[in-house]
Amino acid sequence: MGASHQTRFWHRLDDGRVECDVCPRACRLHEGQRGFCFVRAREGGEVVLTTYGRSSGFCVDPIEKKPLDHFLPGTSVLSFGTAGCNLGCKFCQNWDISKSREIDTLADAASPEALAEAAVRLGCRSVAFTYNDPVIFLEYATDVADACRARGIKAVAVTAGYVSPGARQELFAHMDAANVDLKAFTEPFYRNTCAGHLQPVLETLEYLVHETDVWVEITTLLIPGLNDGDAELDELTSWVGERLGPAVPLHFTAFHPDWKLRDRPHTPATTLRRAREIGLANRLRYVYTGNVHDREGQSTYCHACGALLIERDWYELGAWSLTDGRCASCGEPCAGVFEERPGTWGARRLPVRLAGA
Ligand code: SF4
């Protein structure tokens, strides 16, 4: 695979093994073994990252695709990922990358500096660690973030938030925004469908919102019959309102059958709208539907006067009624990171190669 890179966040055990401290999985490794994520491995008695400087591909996307609706709307973001994942979601929508065991997936080489220069050259306002979770390639993600920030490019983490406290602090100290998956609101779902646990994800969300300046939005992929019941959605949205506050945007997105979960149907648009209604009834200010056309459910409204602030249809922006991040009608601030005008990238998706970078 790629070049092995030294890491922190591991310790030696009395029985001769080493334990990785990056995520709650706490893999215990003998020499030559790889962790569950497959990209952190024991070499020469230490835990190394085997995918440093390698990527599974690059693409210029609308920032709304991450999804981030309150972070520099309308601008483009240079997206990339590596390989592997520290969760085992049966419904993974990027399984070719997350479950990759092949060097072919990491065809593109890119130093942090080359990546930052590419982002500038391509006119991107930010770079996003996405496709797979930056938690597992933390050293590479933070070096890329630093190189980007030095050139005025923001850093965005798209993550499941399944990370231990020390690594969590290190990763997010280098980020400007994050979209965190809250995959469901029950422990059995996390255990049986994702091979993980719910509590560390809730802790990551509370940490981000209350102890950092990172702009945070949440995504819940609704899977028919598994995490879309009224009671669960009521509990989830109540928790977000009470523990994180009403201004954290929440995206309910549609599932399509994939990977090991092909016996479930696509999520109907009515389910997404129902989830949004439950969130709004629990006084969340910004609840969105995703992966469907739904102008009403994807637009941003002023929580004080109800005026339309940002019109959206999927990734396409329409009317814009924000002045200095405030409602142009009543002056109430809208939570987020806004500029005077929205970007003009639109819904385009542009794959790019950084050959020789
Ligand atoms: S980051 Fe990888 S190696 Fe470390 S504990 Fe998590 S799954 Fe295991």
Side-chain angles (χ1 to χ4, degrees), residues 221-295:
L221 182 82
L222 292 180
I223 305 173
L226 282 186
N227 64 355
D228 65 342
D230 282 1
E232 182 171 346
L233 295 173
D234 182 50
E235 249 189 283
L236 184 154
T237 54
S238 299
W239 184 87
V240 170
E242 284 161 20
R243 303 297 286 266
L244 306 180
V248 176
L250 174 58
H251 301 259
F252 287 115
T253 59
F255 158 85
H256 62 262
D258 215 332
W259 188 226
K260 293 179 179 168
L261 209 59
R262 293 178 188 268
D263 60 334
R264 301 272 160 178
H266 287 255
T267 312
T270 48
T271 298
L272 301 173
R273 292 201 191 97
R274 173 171 54 84
R276 180 169 179 266
E277 289 306 320
I278 292 171
L280 295 174
N282 280 325
R283 312 191 78 76
L284 299 186
R285 293 176 183 169
Y286 313 110
V287 191
Y288 300 106
T289 61
N291 297 350
V292 292
H293 283 288
D294 176 14
R295 197 174 288 262

Side-chain angles (χ1 to χ4, degrees), residues 314-351:
W314 214 306
Y315 307 135
E316 204 75 62
L317 298 190
W320 175 269
S321 300
L322 279 174
T323 309
D324 292 333
R326 294 170 177 272
C327 172
S329 303
C330 75
E332 182 72 15
C334 179
V337 178
F338 300 107
E339 293 177 328
E340 198 46 42
R341 301 296 313 157
T344 55
W345 177 255
R348 279 175 293 158
R349 184 157 201 273
L350 178 71

